[in-house]
Amino acid sequence: MTRIRQRREPDPFLADRVVTRLTTLVSGLTVSTARAAMEAARVTAPVSLWALEDHLSAHGITPASSGPLQLLKLFAILDVEGYDVPPTACAACGRRTRVLSHRQDDGRICTPCAHRRYVRRCEICKEIRRITHAGTQTGICGNCRRRNPDPDRVGPCTHCGRVQRLIISKDDGSLRCQRCQAHGRPLHACADCGASARTQKITDAGPVCPACYRERHRPRRVCGRCGRSRLIDRRATTDQPDLCNGCYRGTEGTCSRCGRFRPGRKTPHSGFRCEGCLPRPLRQCAGCQRRRTVQAVWPIGPVCSSCYNTIGKHPARCPNCAETRVLTGTDAGGARICGPCAGARDYTCTGCGRAGHTYSNRRCAWCVLDERVSDLLTDDHGTSVAQLRPLRAALTNTDRPESVLTWIRRPRTRTLFAFLAAHPDDLSHELLDELPAAQHLHYLRKLLILADVLPARDEHLERTRTWLNQTLTELPPEHRQFVQPFGLWHVLHRARRRSHQFGPRTVQAAAKDRRYIHTAAAFLAWLDTHSLTLATISQQHIDQWIDTGPAARHLRPFIKWTNQRRLTTALDVPNRPSSLPSRFLTDEQRWTQLRRCLDDTTMPTKVRVAGALVLLFGITLTRVLNLTTTDVTFSKDAPTGITFGKQPIPLPPKVAAIVAELINDRGRPAPSPALSNHEAPLLFPGRPATTPITLQALSRTLTRNGITAHLGRNAAMLDLAADIPAAVLADLLGMNAGTTHKWNRLTSRDWTHYLQARTDTT
């Protein structure tokens, strides 16, 4: 039943009368405060003022739950200001909230209580659900109503002819399905994108469609987490601030299945479930014919997530309209046709017209990435930062925009981009060094270097210097006076000199430098616990320190430094005696692993290539990581050899085949922008693609696939050293001649020791 609102004559003194009543009923309330509260509660329209005056004149100050919505908003504001007004609480549960939009006989109640009053056992599915439709007994839930619609409202649509649930059209009174009813609304040309669609809002430039309204015209506010002016997806509450669409992850809670605190939702029978543990029905996929969870329902039928991504990323020519689109339907003959020809959605980007899977709001991932990166790299006034434009080009020029979007969506990454946009003129390595060291910071620094925003530097050397400065702040002054000059003028000076001679420091070399400094600080602390100083220690104390563990021998550089400066006298930390390898793979084990690398196509290609090079040529994983495509010799576009030293080594045909497969499939791990000016020819690219993957990552991958790289390398070197002279082997593998001579001496030992060593490993 529609309530008829009585029309009243305009009253210019209506607002003054409401203010007078409020100041009379609420103790201590002034006229200015009452007017400000009414403005904040938006009680300014004549309809709101009449409703408020009628209630105040008839009932006075009563609980807000029994009054109109205008009184509810006004009392909530006055309560925050500290005035004595009735609390805005739910009449059912008593919870204090401003959202009491449901009126019952006992007063206004909150939305959860209103929904709870309609929760009963459905007379069809017999489950406890919210009842949305009347039935013969207890009622029918929404799911059952959709599965079993009213027969009187089901029939052929007067517009498309399909048998669907029908809606009475407001335009001509005809019965239409929901899709045709939505399409039957007046269409206008959007002033932004030019598409013919229904109008969401009339702007000064003209009508705009819903998609353009959400992206460009929806009001924006400052996000309470990232600090940027963005579209707000979650309004502020007492527990959290406004959250933009990038920071809001949905309702969070402890999953009743996995026990992790993650975004999710409540289920009727299992409590709160995270997104990964939510139950999903299994259906037969129309693409792969397997029973899997459904990602979307197309005209060809339900499709799983794998088929959804595969079909969406590979558009083809539609035989019906001759356009290149995503083929989601079939014609009468069973041929695949595009969505518009099948009466379904068109997966074509409205921004650039690219056919394929759309990422958000009918736009492809490239358009969304360009907009979001531009938004991240703008200052507080919305102006693009000129210094960061090369970084924007580096991030958007990628073959995998979804991966970059995932990376920039992380809160830590967004906070770091906001910091860069706020300090465009001061952007330097020194500015980034002031931030806490983290993996996302190291990766962004690499991107800035590759985009020519920052100059190149020896990254591991500079990280050691930053680590030393932080470590010195944690040491007592009596220790700092020794550790600081030792670290700066001995360890780092030697590292910088070797960096100029042999190239940038590796991860292992930088870790060794830090270990020297850390051992020196630990030794000084050990002296304090034994009431000793550098001037009073003797060789006996050094020997006692060495007995504490194998890591104690890293004290040798510090003791040599103290001897040179006469802080100590005649002290020595002996070197650990070098020993030749004693653990090897047997010939059977080595050749079995090598055959798996050559023939097992289920293993990743990079694992097969790395394992084959180590097991066949005996080179270390560190050298494998630094191999580039220029180290591979080609003949008629096919690899025939590889260079480790001065001369290329011929590759066996099977090894050459997997090397060619690796080069052809060499992709960039996510997120890895394609930087045209810094194209990396690495065989094992990391993140970004101009740097190799880490030694730990490759070693773990080999181990998971059953390849023992260290023992396999020892066995390969042993076989090579037994057949090839040391000088020739050094030239072929690019190794030091002294190292190959040691391997030759190992093969010329008494064979009983060698056989015993091989027997021990088995």
Side-chain angles (χ1 to χ4, degrees), residues 65 72 87-102 108-114 116 237-239:
S65 59
L72 180 82
T88 56
C90 174
C93 64
R95 184 169 63 94
R96 301 189 63 173
T97 177
R98 295 177 60 179
V99 184
L100 299 174
S101 54
H102 300 271
R108 289 190 174 272
I109 60 175
C110 61
T111 301
C113 290
R116 207 174 295 120
T237 62
T238 56
D239 300 328

Side-chain angles (χ1 to χ4, degrees), residues 51 82 108 147 251 277 367 369 416 428 466 497 505 524 542 557 596 603 644 709 723:
R108 289 190 174 272
R147 298 190 188 102
T251 304
C277 297
C367 293
L369 176 62
L416 188 56
S428 62
T466 305
R497 185 175 65 250
R505 304 289 281 174
L524 294 175
I542 296 295
R596 287 191 59 229
M603 295 172 59
F644 300 119
D723 298 334

Side-chain angles (χ1 to χ4, degrees), residues 373-375 377-379 381-389 392 421 424:
V373 171
S374 301
D375 186 63
L377 300 180
T378 55
D379 55 19
H381 304 289
T383 305
S384 177
V385 180
Q387 294 88 335
L388 297 178
R389 287 174 185 170
R392 173 189 173 184

Side-chain angles (χ1 to χ4, degrees), residues 499-519:
S499 175
H500 290 312
Q501 292 176 352
F502 305 107
R505 304 289 281 174
T506 62
V507 177
Q508 294 77 17
K512 197 171 185 179
D513 294 337
R514 291 193 295 270
R515 199 177 298 119
Y516 289 152
I517 299 172
H518 183 271
T519 304

Side-chain angles (χ1 to χ4, degrees), residues 512 553 574-582 738-739 741-743 745-746 749:
K512 197 171 185 179
R553 294 186 180 273
N575 271 328
R576 180 184 299 177
S578 59
S579 60
L580 292 173
S582 59
T739 304
H741 276 293
K742 290 181 180 180
W743 282 100
R745 287 198 303 270
L746 178 62
R749 291 165 114 189

Side-chain angles (χ1 to χ4, degrees), residues 43-62:
V43 186
T44 55
V47 175
S48 301
L49 292 173
W50 278 117
L52 189 58
E53 190 200 23
D54 292 344
H55 181 83
L56 292 177
S57 60
H59 306 285
I61 296 294
T62 58

Side-chain angles (χ1 to χ4, degrees), residues 145-218:
R145 184 64 175 180
R146 284 189 292 270
R147 298 190 188 102
N148 304 279
D150 187 357
D152 297 336
R153 300 300 297 273
V154 176
C157 175
T158 58
H159 187 262
C160 65
R162 294 179 300 176
V163 177
Q164 298 284 336
R165 293 178 60 191
L166 302 179
I167 301 175
I168 300 177
S169 175
K170 296 181 180 180
D171 299 330
D172 54 6
S174 61
L175 295 177
R176 296 186 178 185
C177 63
Q178 293 183 358
R179 179 180 298 179
C180 294
Q181 173 64 14
H183 292 170
R185 298 177 185 176
L187 302 180
H188 301 279
C190 177
D192 288 354
C193 65
S196 181
R198 63 183 182 88
T199 300
Q200 179 72 21
K201 184 179 180 180
I202 303 295
T203 64
D204 295 337
V208 293
C209 64
C212 294
Y213 172 78
R214 286 192 298 268
E215 289 296 320
R216 302 179 181 89
H217 300 279
R218 221 173 94 186

